[in-house]
Amino acid sequence: MKKFISHSEKETEKIAFELAAGIPVGSVITLDGDLGAGKTVFARGFARGLGITEAVSSPTYTIAQEYILPDKKRLYHLDLYRISSAEAGLAFGVDEFFNDPGAYALVEWPERVGDVIPDSAVKIFIRHLDENSREITLS
């Protein structure tokens, strides 16, 4: 388990940028935290760490956003806030995103699909410390 303290969005992006280099393609990465904790900020930094230069925003209404990496691999950024259950997630096809060996699957609100998340997922927890500071835990 690793812990980081971020005092700004820029620091959160930098932490995520650096973590991206150590996570292998084919991984599922879950982002767990309250509304406004910085999950999308983390996702933006992670995407930059993989070489994505286009704008990265939360796919809350589209549920999934796909980005093509410079090496032609992919990053799937999923926001499962609007998914009501594991069954609804499977009907949407989340398991296909999780099982793509040529992609990273970055998942906001993973608890919405429960047991569908692979046991091997990299788990990131983001917790408010105060208005600007966050504790980021990697397990």
Side-chain angles (χ1 to χ4, degrees):
M1 184 183 311
K2 293 182 183 180
K3 284 192 180 187
F4 306 88
I5 302 296
S6 169
H7 300 286
S8 67
E9 285 190 7
K10 187 174 181 175
E11 283 184 25
T12 297
E13 285 188 29
K14 183 175 187 255
I15 290 165
F17 181 99
E18 292 171 357
L19 287 173
I23 297 177
V25 70
S27 295
V28 174
I29 305 98
T30 63
L31 299 176
D32 197 338
D34 293 335
L35 275 172
K39 296 180 294 293
T40 301
V41 171
F42 186 96
R44 189 168 48 240
F46 191 88
R48 298 287 176 260
L50 296 176
I52 295 168
T53 58
E54 66 187 277
V56 174
S57 59
S58 179
T60 301
Y61 295 101
T62 58
I63 300 177
Q65 179 68 41
E66 179 179 351
Y67 302 93
I68 305 299
L69 281 60
D71 62 3
K72 304 301 181 209
K73 293 181 173 70
R74 290 166 305 289
L75 168 65
Y76 301 125
H77 180 195
L78 299 122
D79 184 327
L80 303 181
Y81 186 75
R82 299 173 69 80
I83 298 290
S84 60
S85 66
E87 292 78 22
L90 288 170
F92 180 76
V94 295
D95 52 325
E96 293 177 31
F97 295 107
F98 299 163
N99 294 311
D100 185 340
Y104 298 86
L106 193 60
V107 185
E108 296 187 38
W109 302 100
E111 67 275 12
R112 302 287 190 177
V113 295
D115 294 338
V116 175
I117 299 290
D119 292 336
S120 61
V122 176
K123 295 174 177 61
I124 308 282
F125 300 91
I126 305 174
R127 184 172 67 94
H128 284 95
L129 296 177
D130 60 37
E131 184 176 328
N132 296 311
S133 300
R134 304 294 187 264
E135 178 184 75
I136 300 169
T137 306
L138 169 74
S139 68

